[in-house]
Amino acid sequence: KLSALHFPINKETMKCKTIADVQKYVETWTQKRETIAYEIDGIVIKVDQTHMYDDIGCTAKAPKWAVAYKFPAEEVETTIDDIIFTVGRTGQITPNAVFPPTLVAGSTIQRATLHNEDNVVMKDIRIGDTVILRKAGDVIPEVARVVFEKRKPDAQVFEMAKVCPSCGHELYRDEQESAHYCINPNCD
């Protein structure tokens, strides 16, 4: 027997006899989550028979008789108003998409990292594009994909920065890596 427990606020529990019952419960709550007054990111599914816990065992970090199921990330449409560049503590230059304030999974998002030039080119992300925005793991804002059907003819092709946005020093890219770096030792 398995129990699917909706966690943490609503203590609704359902006893499931088969894995198909568990899947149906997950599907029900995937749809129902939007109708409740608070944010949830998943449910816990666990074996109900405590005498089996030792036989089922544990990983190094968690019991195998209880599994956290995460819902698919909420996805919303928005537009990229600009792409700006930031400098990390290691000197890595990161392109960031700038959006109008967009509500995603309970937070208002205005920026999301695009990680590096290769990622932007691979996804063909452009300024002015309509994109699908989500929170990876319900935490980190990310551009999932471009809605190419809505691309405007004047969408601006991405161009990686050539100089550091902080100090103006020329950027360096090792061909073995995807990242660009400011190698000025005096850069802020």
Side-chain angles (χ1 to χ4, degrees):
K1 290 183 182 178
L2 299 171
S3 289
L5 175 64
H6 171 67
F7 187 79
I9 297 171
N10 184 342
K11 302 280 192 225
E12 179 182 319
T13 301
M14 179 181 168
K15 293 206 184 258
C16 302
K17 293 184 181 187
T18 66
I19 196 66
D21 291 342
V22 173
Q23 290 170 326
K24 185 176 179 184
Y25 186 81
V26 167
E27 289 169 14
T28 298
W29 274 103
T30 299
Q31 300 301 319
K32 209 173 172 180
R33 77 186 273 213
E34 294 178 19
T35 66
I36 55 180
Y38 47 87
E39 292 289 324
I40 60 172
D41 65 351
I43 58 176
V44 174
I45 301 164
K46 69 179 188 174
V47 174
D48 196 11
Q49 297 161 326
T50 57
H51 68 277
M52 295 179 69
Y53 288 1
D54 286 340
D55 291 336
I56 296 170
C58 297
T59 68
K61 295 183 177 183
K64 291 182 180 179
W65 44 264
V67 177
Y69 172 83
K70 296 288 187 182
F71 294 126
E74 176 187 353
E75 296 184 335
V76 298
E77 247 183 45
T78 191
T79 55
I80 296 181
D81 290 340
D82 198 4
I83 296 177
I84 61 169
F85 299 92
T86 55
V87 185
R89 64 175 179 74
T90 64
Q92 183 173 335
I93 309 301
T94 304
N96 294 271
V98 179
F99 319 103
T102 306
L103 187 64
V104 182
S107 304
T108 301
I109 306 298
Q110 292 183 278
R111 292 186 184 181
T113 180
L114 297 174
H115 303 290
N116 56 56
E117 179 183 27
D118 293 351
N119 182 60
V120 178
V121 170
M122 179 187 70
K123 290 182 177 180
D124 192 16
I125 298 170
R126 301 179 184 186
I127 297 171
D129 272 345
T130 298
V131 295
I132 302 299
L133 181 63
R134 68 180 174 209
K135 285 165 121 184
D138 271 354
V139 178
I140 312 279
E142 74 172 344
V143 173
R145 64 190 172 280
V146 175
V147 182
F148 291 106
E149 308 80 54
K150 294 187 176 183
R151 176 169 280 164
K152 297 175 183 144
D154 63 343
Q156 186 180 339
V157 176
F158 173 78
E159 197 172 317
M160 186 62 196
K162 304 285 186 245
V163 297
C164 175
S166 180
C167 72
H169 193 276
E170 187 175 338
L171 299 181
Y172 168 78
R173 178 179 179 176
D174 180 335
E175 292 305 316
Q176 304 291 338
E177 293 187 40
S178 296
H180 288 73
Y181 293 91
C182 177
I183 54 173
N184 176 6
N186 298 317
C187 182
D188 292 338

